Amino acid sequence: MVRTLPLVVLLGCGSAARTPAPAEPTRAARSGDPEAVYGPLVVGADYASYEKLTPTPFLSQAHGSRWVDVYVNAIGAKAYLANTEIPVGTVVVKTSWVDQGGKPSTIAGPIFVMEKRAPGYLPEHGDWHYAIHWATAPAKFGGAVYWRGHSPKVTYCHEGCHDYYDRGLGGLVPSSLVPR
């Protein structure tokens, strides 16, 4: 014997269900740069499980004069610490905080991400994938920021700093040489 159950549909107070209006796209999204559309952090999102290589945050001029902590995944932590060639699959994440009177504040800055990719990804920059993720970016940036990959926005990373460091290390600088 087959039994059927009645199907009940509930409607809220006589009005049709509403879908929230989509958020206004950021300036980057309107510009047609798909690698600058804000969303959840992808590469490096699990950085809290990485090895934290800084006992306390340090002030980094190269990262907007913000206080940063450095996290590196298990694939690359030993190479990073030994200043040897960085293996493919290494992910380096730097969290940051705004400076407040010479010490870190509680105001989060951007999260900076580097991932060493296979040869051919971006050979002119050591095959590094760069990303900057900032949920609370100032209005002058056009809203929340997630610049990554081949977006022209991440040229700041390699043109400003990483192309000038030891290419054998993939553009990384030993912590002892980081501007503090």
Side-chain angles (χ1 to χ4, degrees):
M1 170 187 211
V2 176
R3 297 182 81 173
T4 59
L5 297 175
L7 177 63
V8 178
V9 177
L10 298 175
L11 295 176
C13 299
S15 65
R18 290 189 226 181
T19 303
E24 176 67 24
T26 64
R27 197 174 8 188
R30 292 189 304 266
S31 73
D33 181 356
E35 291 195 311
V37 175
Y38 185 77
L41 182 63
V42 178
V43 175
D46 57 343
Y47 72 86
S49 68
Y50 297 179
E51 187 171 345
K52 185 178 177 189
L53 301 183
T54 48
T56 59
F58 63 90
L59 187 59
S60 172
Q61 296 169 0
H63 294 89
S65 294
R66 293 182 185 88
W67 292 85
V68 300
D69 272 315
V70 179
Y71 299 81
V72 180
N73 67 357
I75 294 169
K78 286 181 185 175
Y80 186 96
L81 288 170
N83 296 328
T84 60
E85 188 159 341
I86 302 297
V88 170
T90 297
V91 179
V92 178
V93 175
K94 292 183 179 178
T95 56
S96 72
W97 294 268
V98 173
D99 178 64
Q100 184 175 32
K103 59 184 179 179
S105 70
T106 58
I107 301 168
I111 297 172
F112 300 93
V113 180
M114 294 175 62
E115 179 186 29
K116 181 68 171 177
R117 298 233 171 139
Y121 171 73
L122 196 59
E124 62 275 20
H125 302 294
D127 297 310
W128 282 96
H129 167 89
Y130 296 96
I132 301 172
H133 190 271
W134 196 359
T136 58
K140 70 180 181 180
F141 289 99
V145 165
Y146 189 16
W147 302 331
R148 60 202 173 276
H150 293 288
S151 172
K153 300 286 189 177
V154 297
T155 58
Y156 163 84
C157 301
H158 50 79
E159 287 180 359
C161 298
H162 292 284
D163 279 355
Y164 300 102
Y165 296 136
D166 183 346
R167 301 305 294 153
L169 301 178
L172 296 175
V173 61
S175 295
S176 61
L177 301 178
V178 172
R180 298 178 191 243

